[in-house]
Amino acid sequence: EAVRQEFRPAQVGDSFGPMWQTCWFKVELSIPPEWAGQEVHLLWESDGEGMVWRDAQPVQGLAKEGEKTSYILTRSLKKSEPHSLTLYVELACNGLFGAGKGSMIAPPDPDRKFTLSKAELVIFNRDVYELLVDLEILLDMAQLLGEENQRSFQALYTANQMVNVCDVADPSTFPAAHGLAAAIFSQRNGESQHTIHAMGHCHIDSAWLWPYEETIRKCARSWATVLGLMECNPELTFACSQDVVGAEAALLQAQQLEWVRSCYPGLYARIQDFVAKGQFVPVGGTWVEMDGNLPSGESMVRQFLQGQHFFKQQFGRICSEFWLPDTFGYSAQLPQLMRGCGIRRFLTQKLSWNLVNSFPHHTFFWEGIDGSRVLTHFPPGDSYGMQGRVEEVLKTVKNNKDKGRVNHSAFLFGFGDGGGGPTQKMLDRMKRMSDTDGLPRVQLSTPNQLFSVLEQDSSQLCTWVGELFLELHNGTYTTQAQIKKGNRECERILHDVEVLSSLAVAQGSAFQYPASQLQHLWRLLLLNQFHDVLPGSCIQLVVEDALQYYTEIRRAGARLQEEAVQSLCRELLQPGTDSAQSSLVLNTLPWERTGVISRTGPDGRDTLALVTVPSMGYALVREPLLPPQPVTVKKQEDGSITMENGVIAVCLDMMGHLTSLQLVGSQRESVPDGCYANQFALFDDVPLYWDAWDVMDYHLETRKPVRRLLKPLEVSQAGGLRGSASFSLQVGESSTLTQEIILDASCPYLRFLTQIEWKEAHKFLKVEFPVRVRSTSATYEIQFGHLQRPTHWNTSWDWARFEVWAHKWLDLSEHGFGVALLNDCKYGASAHGNVLSLSL
């Protein structure tokens, strides 16, 4: 398509844009005949990301930030080679890290232009390049090994000799200078030296500071470059996990491979060729590199199911290693899910970002809530973006917290987050350090090779039980409330569609299970669970895409539900005298439920009814149940309102505070004297740097109760099957909050239906429930289970969990009594002392 366009002349120094635009360059080259025998490069520099196309195929990415500014036209120009050729360069008007206005994580500048600063045909002097790499390694050894190490002096004196021998005007002196360096690098290590397993890495966030659509091109740019690197370095293998590329890399997302398969079939065919050769090794196991905390248990299972199915279908094998290097903490349920999906090895490094406590291990067994264990490795260099430097390999050994237990560790090198991957220079650095006395042994390796030797040496490894909690980015449990709400709702919708569709199939009807439609919808939901989308740490363009996907899931899910119900209950839904006076009620949960529903009567008006529906079933309700005791609602002289349904009794003051909550007949008050539950509180939210990610502990010092009443508490529904009261508050300078507090007949809980029009900046709204319960730990729901966290701050590990995550409930209980706080779309929470808090 681009080739057919009309091109105009362009000059170095021209600017293009605006942001997110694509510009195509037709580059016509004519190599002088006198350059015969020379290595010839196209030198291209721009502050945008580029892709070289040759013979209608993508062949290499170009990114100044990723140190990829030249494309090799020929390594030695021959007379028989064409001296004139035409290339196309696709320029994306964005950088590796988007184009934030003023800082990397600021919103993109929509008016920014991108400049072509270099476009040259050049001779590349490889001998000079090799000498420069030699000198870099020698000088780093001299500087970093220390005065007490004789190798530092040997490196220094060798570098000095090289300078003396080398005459820059006489290329014939270069081999002798290179030979001096080679002599140093060829002096071998002893057998006890630590072995570093170098694996190329190209972490590509599926969306972050750029939209989903741009990630597709980032994948193509990065992987085309990697394949070219592998062709020039045939000893390299590429571990395709979610994000890695290069000398043994990882590409953890099946989704990204699927994008390339669909959009770049020629490139994908080359990838498959390298898989067949054993150089391109799939690693990872999930559909995307999802958030490790917020997806439901079923969503996490589907991440593995979709990912492993894709790898099996496309490459003939499933993954045995799970790579999740850049998400914001790791649920204690993950080890069990991994083992159930054929994975027994896990790699990440994100806990090196802990703000308070340093995690005590780099290689260990991680045990989940059911006792499942996986061998876990954190690269001791605490990064997935190494560049193959002496300083980095020395840090990898020095920083290793499991010295003596294991003598092998991973080293992930390559530009990442925005793609890019390894470079030839990184590989050339590490070749010089492969087995050089004074430095750790560096070998290009694979995840399987690394974990295999770790498994052999695992007898002395320690075990970490429970969650891997990241002491940073606690704000991601709450940021972008609409995304959080969309995720929870769509998880429920897809669950209900599958339950109802399965029942319809089991009934023996001609109903066709909507497998392909469900797979499409699940993949949309799983994509939005990427670790910068569901947490909300992405630009507005990504948020808009995510909300659109949720809308599609809701719309299609409602249609699929209706089709399943029509098939399942066709006879009950036939027009007739009975059906006209009855309501079909379905229950997709695995227990019998009794509750109040709203239904439309014959006169078109909505009425309430108390119904009981069996587990995973349905009921045709003709005559609603009579409640054992109707809800009573009374307004007191002081403006407070009491409600009771025979199960619980509550009292609310004019501000909507819950001043009393009792189980009827227990004589046990749940709200402490002088305290208010359902207390909204506003906090300042000004983190140190990561604005959308972080809420710092010092925000707790800025607590301001919300007390500006716009509309006092009034009775909304007078009782019977349902009683309720509503009120409105002003929050901060410009926001409003309206809440209806609802008590249904026979219901053991109180509901708070809350609507907030949010217009604040750098503020954090919570709702607090102090309870008359004493316990040193609170219980939080997680995927397929629960865990306990302390309610005190005795240690720095306790204090660092001032803001945690939960799924649908948290609970504070003592023997024989407890109070739980439930929600339908929130994740941020805390329990300190006797106060349960939900972050809104």
Side-chain angles (χ1 to χ4, degrees):
E1 182 183 350
V3 171
R4 294 194 297 268
Q5 302 303 309
E6 187 173 327
F7 290 84
R8 63 175 176 83
Q11 301 291 330
V12 170
D14 287 356
S15 293
F16 306 90
M19 185 74 182
W20 308 124
Q21 192 178 73
T22 299
C23 299
W24 283 86
F25 294 84
K26 184 178 183 180
V27 184
E28 296 176 328
L29 303 171
S30 181
I31 305 173
E34 57 268 27
W35 286 11
Q38 302 287 353
E39 183 172 338
V40 183
H41 291 199
L42 168 64
L43 189 63
W44 182 281
E45 287 190 12
S46 167
D47 46 358
E49 287 192 85
M51 168 81 95
V52 180
W53 289 74
R54 188 170 185 172
D55 300 326
Q57 291 298 323
V59 291
Q60 185 187 301
L62 295 167
K64 188 175 181 180
E65 295 166 288
E67 295 183 4
K68 294 180 181 66
T69 56
S70 69
Y71 169 65
I72 301 175
L73 297 169
T74 175
R75 291 189 177 273
S76 180
L77 182 64
K78 298 178 178 63
K79 288 185 179 180
S80 59
E81 288 185 89
H83 286 47
S84 296
L85 67 154
T86 299
L87 303 175
Y88 291 86
V89 175
E90 178 189 14
L91 180 67
C93 292
N94 53 265
L96 276 181
F97 295 93
K101 189 172 184 178
S103 76
M104 181 182 74
I105 61 172
D109 181 357
D111 300 319
R112 178 174 168 180
K113 301 287 186 178
F114 292 79
T115 303
L116 176 60
S117 53
K118 275 188 186 178
E120 301 174 3
L121 197 60
V122 300
I123 294 174
F124 184 78
N125 193 320
R126 190 157 293 277
D127 290 336
V128 172
Y129 163 81
E130 297 289 353
L131 287 175
L132 291 173
V133 178
D134 288 341
L135 284 169
E136 177 193 323
I137 300 298
L138 289 170
L139 292 175
D140 282 350
M141 290 175 64
Q143 183 179 14
L144 298 169
L145 289 178
E147 293 185 1
E148 70 281 0
N149 192 323
Q150 68 167 358
R151 287 290 281 173
S152 67
F153 289 95
Q154 290 174 356
L156 178 62
Y157 288 130
T158 299
N160 186 65
Q161 285 180 281
M162 289 177 64
V163 173
N164 291 337
V165 167
C166 183
D167 182 351
V168 295
D170 183 3
S172 67
T173 63
F174 295 174
H178 180 63
L180 291 168
I184 281 283
F185 299 142
S186 64
Q187 294 175 359
R188 304 306 182 199
N189 270 305
E191 291 184 5
S192 65
Q193 183 60 270
H194 187 87
T195 299
I196 287 175
H197 293 250
M199 307 178 211
H201 204 266
C202 174
H203 184 79
I204 304 175
D205 287 326
S206 290
W208 181 31
L209 304 175
W210 52 87
Y212 286 127
E213 189 175 18
E214 184 58 34
T215 305
I216 301 173
R217 299 198 296 178
K218 284 179 175 288
C219 293
R221 288 190 287 262
S222 299
W223 298 348
T225 304
V226 164
L227 295 185
L229 199 61
M230 293 165 64
E231 288 171 346
C232 297
N233 301 268
E235 73 276 13
L236 301 183
T237 55
F238 178 78
C240 179
S241 87
Q242 175 136 343
D243 320 298
V244 198
V245 301
E248 179 47 54
L251 229 165
L252 278 167
Q253 301 187 75
Q255 171 70 85
Q256 292 181 355
L257 284 165
E258 174 63 19
W259 279 336
V260 171
R261 187 180 74 87
S262 301
C263 300
Y264 298 88
L267 176 60
Y268 189 76
R270 292 178 63 204
I271 290 174
Q272 288 183 308
D273 288 341
F274 280 101
V275 171
K277 294 175 185 176
Q279 288 183 261
F280 195 96
V281 184
V283 180
T286 51
W287 186 245
V288 301
E289 188 183 313
M290 73 280 195
D291 180 84
N293 297 321
L294 307 187
S296 69
E298 187 60 35
S299 289
M300 283 190 169
V301 168
R302 299 307 174 103
Q303 289 284 357
F304 285 106
L305 177 67
Q306 293 290 334
Q308 293 284 52
H309 177 73
F310 181 88
F311 289 122
K312 179 69 172 177
Q313 182 184 58
Q314 294 294 315
F315 305 116
R317 51 156 289 187
I318 64 172
C319 300
S320 58
E321 297 90 8
F322 180 37
W323 288 47
L324 196 59
D326 191 33
T327 194
F328 312 140
Y330 304 89
S331 167
Q333 182 58 276
L334 273 170
Q336 182 179 9
L337 297 181
M338 280 186 256
R339 293 301 296 262
C341 297
I343 291 174
R344 64 183 190 277
R345 302 158 168 179
F346 176 51
L347 184 144
T348 185
Q349 62 81 49
K350 198 64 177 184
L351 262 64
S352 65
W353 285 47
N354 272 6
L355 198 61
V356 182
N357 300 285
S358 177
F359 194 78
H361 302 292
H362 282 105
T363 305
F364 58 99
F365 284 106
W366 180 24
E367 186 175 301
I369 59 174
D370 75 319
S372 296
R373 297 203 309 171
V374 291
L375 178 59
T376 302
H377 182 68
F378 297 173
D382 293 342
S383 172
Y384 53 70
M386 298 294 200
Q387 297 186 29
R389 298 184 183 276
V390 172
E391 180 180 11
E392 295 166 345
V393 299
L394 292 176
K395 177 185 177 183
T396 295
V397 177
K398 181 180 180 181
N399 204 40
N400 183 13
K401 293 187 173 71
D402 296 283
K403 298 182 185 75
R405 296 191 179 99
V406 291
N407 205 26
H408 296 261
S409 58
F411 184 90
L412 309 182
F413 66 94
F415 291 99
D417 290 332
T423 66
Q424 185 65 52
K425 181 175 282 190
M426 296 176 190
L427 294 171
D428 291 337
R429 287 170 181 149
M430 290 184 293
K431 287 176 184 177
R432 288 161 170 78
M433 295 186 284
S434 61
D435 193 3
T436 297
D437 186 28
L439 297 176
R441 188 178 289 107
V442 180
Q443 68 180 44
L444 298 178
S445 184
T446 67
N448 182 59
Q449 290 172 342
L450 168 67
F451 278 103
S452 292
V453 296
L454 291 178
E455 286 168 346
Q456 293 171 11
D457 297 336
S458 63
S459 60
Q460 298 184 65
L461 293 180
C462 300
T463 298
W464 181 272
V465 178
E467 66 181 328
L468 296 174
F469 185 85
L470 178 64
E471 296 172 356
L472 194 68
H473 296 352
N474 316 58
T476 59
Y477 315 145
T478 305
T479 296
Q480 293 291 354
Q482 289 302 316
I483 285 182
K484 306 297 193 290
K485 184 178 179 67
N487 180 72
R488 185 76 66 77
E489 286 185 354
C490 290
E491 287 177 333
R492 177 186 55 78
I493 288 168
L494 294 182
H495 167 272
D496 289 353
V497 169
E498 292 187 334
V499 167
L500 295 170
S501 298
S502 299
L503 291 174
V505 170
Q507 193 181 51
S509 67
F511 179 78
Q512 187 72 32
Y513 190 84
S516 60
Q517 299 100 307
L518 279 167
Q519 175 169 279
H520 170 69
L521 298 178
W522 266 113
R523 287 184 172 183
L524 285 181
L525 179 59
L526 301 181
L527 176 61
N528 272 357
Q529 290 173 349
F530 179 74
H531 69 251
D532 278 310
V533 179
L534 180 53
S537 50
C538 52
I539 60 173
Q540 185 63 25
L541 276 175
V542 180
V543 173
E544 291 169 1
D545 285 344
L547 296 181
Q548 182 179 337
Y549 290 157
Y550 291 136
T551 299
E552 181 178 344
I553 295 169
R554 289 185 182 104
R555 185 184 303 117
R559 176 178 54 80
L560 292 175
Q561 282 189 34
E562 179 65 21
E563 292 173 359
V565 171
Q566 289 293 333
S567 176
L568 178 65
C569 307
R570 179 174 287 108
E571 294 181 2
L572 295 177
L573 294 172
Q574 295 296 325
T577 54
D578 288 344
S579 61
Q581 302 297 322
S582 59
S583 300
L584 177 67
V585 186
L586 299 107
N587 174 19
T588 57
L589 295 180
W591 58 85
E592 182 182 87
R593 296 164 65 191
T594 298
V596 176
I597 65 166
S598 177
R599 62 175 183 169
T600 303
D603 57 359
R605 292 189 302 173
D606 288 341
T607 59
L608 299 176
L610 182 66
V611 300
T612 294
V613 186
S615 160
M616 292 284 191
Y618 53 88
L620 195 63
V621 178
R622 296 180 177 85
E623 295 296 329
L625 302 174
L626 294 176
Q629 179 175 324
V631 180
T632 59
V633 181
K634 297 179 181 177
K635 186 168 185 178
Q636 309 299 321
E637 292 183 2
D638 61 0
S640 65
I641 292 175
T642 60
M643 294 190 287
E644 184 176 338
N645 66 356
V647 182
I648 59 175
V650 301
C651 182
L652 306 162
D653 71 8
M654 291 181 60
M655 294 282 293
H657 295 137
L658 181 63
T659 58
S660 176
L661 171 63
Q662 293 187 17
L663 277 172
V664 173
S666 72
Q667 307 300 314
R668 175 76 182 255
E669 175 60 58
S670 300
V671 181
D673 294 340
C675 293
Y676 299 121
N678 197 38
Q679 170 68 66
F680 295 94
L682 196 63
F683 300 80
D684 292 340
D685 180 23
V686 186
L688 296 175
Y689 177 69
W690 298 99
D691 200 349
W693 291 256
D694 286 346
V695 57
M696 312 308 293
D697 59 334
Y698 51 75
H699 86 282
L700 296 170
E701 301 173 13
T702 66
R703 178 182 180 274
K704 297 178 181 66
V706 176
R707 291 175 175 151
R708 297 177 68 177
L709 190 62
L710 296 178
K711 176 187 172 186
L713 188 74
E714 293 290 345
V715 174
S716 302
Q717 299 184 71
L721 289 178
R722 174 172 292 168
S724 69
S726 59
F727 65 97
S728 296
L729 300 172
Q730 179 169 330
V731 180
E733 295 297 322
S734 308
S735 302
T736 57
L737 181 153
T738 301
Q739 188 178 75
E740 183 180 12
I741 303 174
I742 303 167
L743 182 63
D744 284 344
S746 302
C747 186
Y749 55 83
L750 189 64
R751 286 194 292 141
F752 302 84
L753 183 61
T754 312
Q755 301 286 333
I756 304 174
E757 187 176 353
W758 185 251
K759 297 181 180 180
E760 306 306 300
H762 291 109
K763 298 293 181 182
F764 195 4
L765 181 66
K766 303 183 183 185
V767 63
E768 300 168 343
F769 288 81
V771 295
R772 188 175 285 179
V773 176
R774 180 170 177 79
S775 177
T776 56
S777 63
T779 306
Y780 301 79
E781 189 202 24
I782 65 169
Q783 298 85 356
F784 297 133
H786 60 268
L787 56 78
Q788 293 186 324
R789 300 183 180 112
T791 57
H792 54 75
W793 294 346
N794 281 0
T795 70
S796 59
W797 294 88
D798 303 330
W799 160 62
R801 302 185 191 198
F802 59 86
E803 177 80 5
V804 298
W805 62 273
H807 281 195
K808 296 185 289 293
W809 54 265
L810 62 152
D811 165 271
L812 191 64
S813 291
E814 57 189 43
H815 180 69
F817 187 83
V819 179
L821 179 58
L822 293 80
N823 76 86
D824 66 355
C825 63
K826 296 297 171 184
Y827 296 92
S830 65
H832 185 221
N834 68 329
V835 179
L836 300 176
S837 178
L838 191 66
S839 298
L840 305 180

